[in-house]
Amino acid sequence: MIVTVTPNPALDVTYAVPALRPHTTHRVDAVHEQAGGKGVNVARVLHTLGRPTTALLPLGGPTGDVVRAELDRSGLPYLSVPLRSRAATRRTVTVVDEADATVLNEPGPELTAEDWAAVLAGAAGLLPAARALVLSGSLPRGLHPGAYGDLVRLAHRHGVPVVLDAGGAALTEALAARPTLVKPNAAELRDATGIADPLAAARVLADGGARAVVASLGPAGLLAVTPGGAWHAGLPEGRAVRGGNPTGAGDAAVAALAAALAGGSPWPQTLAEAVALSAAAVRAPYAGHFDRQAYLYDLPLVRLRPV
Amino acid sequence: MIVTVTPNPALDVTYAVPALRPHTTHRVDAVHEQAGGKGVNVARVLHTLGRPTTALLPLGGPTGDVVRAELDRSGLPYLSVPLRSRAATRRTVTVVDEADATVLNEPGPELTAEDWAAVLAGAAGLLPAARALVLSGSLPRGLHPGAYGDLVRLAHRHGVPVVLDAGGAALTEALAARPTLVKPNAAELRDATGIADPLAAARVLADGGARAVVASLGPAGLLAVTPGGAWHAGLPEGRAVRGGNPTGAGDAAVAALAAALAGGSPWPQTLAEAVALSAAAVRAPYAGHFDRQAYLYDLPLVRLRPV
């Protein structure tokens, strides 16, 4: 089983409109709602792939109830920790028009030390049966920036590999706990290191404590710095997808990486799966979903190049 | 007591961002939530003015529960009719940046004939104690365009005057039932009659069945065609407010008009109150609220001119 932790989950609301025009009134044609947050998206991809998974997430208030109801309907296994404050789980609103998506992210509720202790207790309960732990997304207000480090150390005590997908202090403060793999995107890599060159920046994160670094570079693919070598993996120009759903793309890459860590796949195979799944997720309208046919078509096309 | 009916109420969500930029991701600085829909806003203004009022509205699903909880906290008297389908009450999302507001209106749930019968039954229960009935906003999906006519006729049977604030077929189909007053805005007036000149258009609505027509013309004030005469009422140029909150402005005007109908005030006094309250609502950040000091300051400044 792969456990994903989403400290700041969301009710993802997607609105379809013909065109978003600032400072006007829009009639929304269609409303889509689903449980969201990066770790939830990762678990949804794993579940669709048929990999046993459990999403661990704190939930509160009426939006938390809606998230729980959607997870129940979708059949995605989860363990929710009720927020003591009953503060409401945040929403994200994505307005999709004919050109692209516009995203509005609510800040989300503050977590207390007791709430975080309950999340850690939930993880401790799940880790004995886990083969990988995924830590994904921003830390909610109220948590210290080293909070992910608590979970990395807990996983190590159970001998479970950890994938961390976060940016800023949530990433840099967790490095000391030696996560098995970190998956920054290009902006997070640059912000965390102050270095513009992705390869040099990834080596700095590896030197800083991450055992492996896989950076997602959007349509340019993935850059991996691992104990077994460093590679660039990407699709040939004609199959690389521009535009689409970048949140879902990063989360699908994390799902593939976690599945590989759980199964002990070799790095080249792992990276090919991550690239193909990520591209297939860009083609799907909502995060946590992917185009299965595109995935199977692209998998043998991924090009791997040592760097 | 003044009863307001809001057939398609909403959970109004307001997001503050520095600037709304289409096709980018925004961190929302502040989230405000309140019960909304035009009739709810009217009732909130009346309640703040110290006028006895009850808001009648169908509610469903988790957003309906949030609306109910906010009404409970705010102390605004209401009667809610639970939707049999349990379909969720809609949300509206208003993104306020430093320039202006961008509004996204969800369509809202479909009402069945049974739901509408329950709303009519709720109105029938409140009308014996009512001195005015306000019908405000769009009709939900599933209702025939003459639905407001049902309520107008019900009010007439109780001898209660009716203010109707709606556009399109919801307005034109209700005229045959002879509402006491209709309050279209400039666009609704033009759409309903096909006539660009507001005075000529208002006279057409009056000929069509409305006993009085008060059109809201934004910063240009109000135009009234009544059995007692026709007037333009507005603030002098220096006090007219541009930009701001136009939804709240129309609803505040309706509150003043309904209070005057309930109390039997003469038209000139009524129109002055409606103009001043409307301008004071434009100055408030959320619909249903108004700037009390601006209201008291502007009231004696309103200029009335027979047309």
Side-chain angles (χ1 to χ4, degrees), chain B residues 273-284:
Chain B
E273 282 170 4
V275 166
L277 199 55
S278 184
V282 174
R283 297 175 191 275

Side-chain angles (χ1 to χ4, degrees), chain B residues 170-199:
Chain B
L171 166 60
T172 52
E173 294 285 313
L175 290 178
R178 304 219 66 204
T180 316
L181 192 157
V182 299
K183 201 242 27 94
N185 61 30
E188 287 164 344
L189 192 56
R190 200 172 47 237
D191 290 352
T193 60
I195 299 170
D197 174 55
L199 181 59

Side-chain angles (χ1 to χ4, degrees), chain A residues 24-64:
Chain A
T24 68
T25 294
H26 306 73
R27 200 178 292 242
V28 173
D29 296 328
V31 181
H32 175 88
E33 276 191 1
Q34 68 172 34
K38 293 167 74 63
V40 173
N41 300 338
V42 172
R44 207 183 287 269
V45 170
L46 289 167
H47 185 62
T48 306
L49 287 170
R51 303 291 303 238
T53 186
T54 298
L56 171 61
L57 66 171
L59 290 175
T63 41

Side-chain angles (χ1 to χ4, degrees), chain A residues 15 26 33 91 102-103 106, chain B residues 15 23 26 33 91 106:
Chain A
Y15 290 156
H26 306 73
E33 276 191 1
R91 283 167 295 219
T102 306
V103 182
E106 295 186 8
Chain B
Y15 291 156
H23 313 136
H26 306 73
E33 275 189 3
R91 284 166 295 219
E106 295 186 7

Side-chain angles (χ1 to χ4, degrees), chain B residues 183-272:
Chain B
K183 201 242 27 94
N185 61 30
E188 287 164 344
L189 192 56
R190 200 172 47 237
D191 290 352
T193 60
I195 299 170
D197 174 55
L199 181 59
R203 290 201 194 279
V204 166
L205 287 192
D207 291 343
R211 297 186 195 180
V213 179
V214 177
S216 52
L217 309 177
L222 298 176
L223 177 72
V225 171
T226 80
W231 293 272
H232 176 268
L235 283 167
E237 184 57 36
R239 291 295 298 168
V241 195
R242 288 170 202 285
N245 182 341
T247 305
D251 297 338
V254 169
L257 296 168
L261 281 186
S265 304
W267 279 108
Q269 169 72 9
T270 299
L271 294 173

